[in-house]
Amino acid sequence: MEGANLSRGTEFELLGLTRDPWLQKLLFVVFLGMYTFTLLGNLVMFLLIHVSAMLHTPMYSLLKSLSFLDFCYSSTVVPQTLVNFLAKRKVITYLGCVVQMFFYAGFATSECYLIAAMACDRYAAVCNPLLYPIAMSPTVCASLIVGSYGAGFLNSLIHTSCIFSLKFCGTHVVTHFFCDGPPILSLSCVDTSLCEILLFIFAGFNLLSCTLTILVSYLLILITILRMNSAQGRFKAFSTCASHFTAVCLFYGTTLFMYLRPRSSYSLTQDRTVAVIYTVVIPLLNPLIYSLRNKDVKEALRKVWERKIME
């Protein structure tokens, strides 16, 4: 009923990516294939690092955590999206929407901080190789991982509690394919300026602080590489950072575009396209980025495969 508050028992209707039935079936097949490879790729990377002694280093401990985050991050959004592709009513319960937003925002922000921590790891490895075992000791590495999760889920708790403390009136159609902050805010019938300011401040702080950490780390890495006399040393240093830098560009490029904009510049089609990239495509690409260009990973995979065959 128009003007009635949405209670905690109310369902939200998700607009989804398209209304075309044929296109929905096609997207179901595409998303299912991508999600399957995302789960397999990140699970293989996680288990490979876990069982391979040669990969028990700080860099791969961080990468192992990244694989776990991508596994969980994608799983908060894609399964519900797959169900809705085939469902006549594309709905999610009030509680389901709260849970989805909390975990999605928590895993996404944790990944933001973890990627910044990986840049610090690359800085320590390239710029201070002799001090690297001390600078990135197991204790430091564990602290960076725990800190990333702590910052991520604290941020998520603040955002989710702020948004769902609002009153929602009238239409309950979410103009997205999952419960994200800006589309849910647009359903409120009360002043949302405080939540929008909090969203902008926290998202801005998270993204800009992490981006600044990455930029400073890579600037110092670049200076160190340019000072190297050996061409082979420069190539090795560049190749060490290439995979991480590619992942940085993909993740931060889409996230900065998505959240650090005024509300007036939101475009439904554009936002949903970008959301597909950072919720579906990036978790799929990360295991490929870090494995195809990484000799250590390929060597560890070969040894594990040979050991399994011999058994």
Side-chain angles (χ1 to χ4, degrees):
M1 184 170 64
E2 189 70 29
N5 292 346
L6 293 179
S7 70
R8 282 165 173 74
T10 303
E11 294 175 330
F12 288 101
E13 181 182 353
L14 298 168
L15 192 61
L17 291 169
T18 179
R19 293 285 189 178
D20 186 328
W22 182 87
L23 193 54
Q24 286 179 1
K25 292 176 182 177
L26 176 62
L27 287 174
F28 173 83
V29 175
V30 173
F31 272 53
L32 179 61
M34 294 176 71
Y35 182 56
T36 301
F37 281 109
T38 296
L39 296 186
L40 289 175
N42 285 290
L43 184 62
V44 168
M45 182 67 76
F46 182 91
L47 293 175
L48 180 64
I49 295 172
H50 183 73
V51 303
S52 180
M54 67 178 292
L55 298 181
H56 290 175
T57 65
M59 181 180 80
Y60 291 108
S61 294
L62 295 171
L63 182 54
K64 179 181 174 183
S65 295
L66 180 66
S67 294
F68 176 75
L69 278 176
D70 281 334
F71 184 98
C72 297
Y73 177 39
S74 182
S75 296
T76 60
V77 174
V78 180
Q80 178 73 44
T81 305
L82 289 171
V83 170
N84 287 342
F85 278 139
L86 302 180
K88 290 184 178 180
R89 295 185 66 242
K90 308 178 192 311
V91 296
I92 184 171
T93 63
Y94 183 97
L95 179 60
C97 194
V98 173
V99 171
Q100 185 181 62
M101 184 183 292
F102 175 75
F103 282 104
Y104 157 74
F107 288 128
T109 311
S110 298
E111 183 158 336
C112 182
Y113 279 98
L114 188 66
I115 290 175
M118 293 172 77
C120 294
D121 172 76
R122 293 300 82 209
Y123 160 76
V126 174
C127 300
N128 296 290
L130 296 179
L131 296 176
Y132 180 70
I134 300 172
M136 289 300 296
S137 66
T139 302
V140 172
C141 188
S143 299
L144 288 172
I145 294 170
V146 171
S148 296
Y149 278 92
F153 280 94
L154 176 62
N155 172 81
S156 176
L157 180 63
I158 293 170
H159 281 314
T160 307
S161 58
C162 178
I163 290 173
F164 285 97
S165 67
L166 300 172
K167 293 181 179 179
F168 302 98
C169 307
T171 179
H172 53 284
V173 177
V174 180
T175 56
H176 216 318
F177 63 94
F178 68 98
C179 292
D180 198 7
I184 298 296
L185 275 175
S186 68
L187 300 179
S188 178
C189 56
V190 297
D191 183 20
T192 61
S193 56
L194 176 60
C195 276
E196 288 183 36
I197 290 170
L198 283 174
L199 177 65
F200 187 83
I201 289 174
F202 278 90
F205 174 79
N206 292 332
L207 290 171
L208 293 178
S209 61
C210 291
T211 302
L212 184 61
T213 299
I214 291 168
L215 289 176
V216 171
S217 297
Y218 273 100
L219 178 61
L220 295 173
I221 288 171
L222 181 61
I223 292 171
T224 301
I225 291 174
L226 293 176
R227 288 177 177 173
M228 292 179 179
N229 296 322
S230 168
Q232 185 178 1
R234 286 196 295 270
F235 176 78
K236 184 178 180 181
F238 272 123
S239 62
T240 299
C241 302
S243 298
H244 180 256
F245 189 73
T246 303
V248 166
C249 292
L250 283 171
F251 183 82
Y252 280 89
T254 53
T255 311
L256 285 167
F257 173 82
M258 194 68 185
Y259 293 105
L260 292 189
R261 293 177 297 155
R263 187 175 177 180
S264 58
S265 68
Y266 288 165
S267 163
L268 178 60
T269 303
Q270 195 176 53
D271 288 358
R272 286 187 296 191
T273 302
V274 175
V276 169
I277 294 173
Y278 68 75
T279 58
V280 182
V281 178
I282 291 177
L284 169 67
L285 292 180
N286 274 344
L288 299 176
I289 291 170
Y290 283 102
S291 61
L292 293 178
R293 296 178 57 88
N294 193 306
K295 292 181 180 178
D296 291 339
V297 171
K298 288 189 283 189
E299 179 64 18
L301 186 59
R302 185 186 64 80
K303 288 183 177 180
V304 169
W305 181 256
E306 289 177 351
R307 191 162 62 242
K308 290 296 180 183
I309 291 175
M310 289 178 67
E311 290 175 357

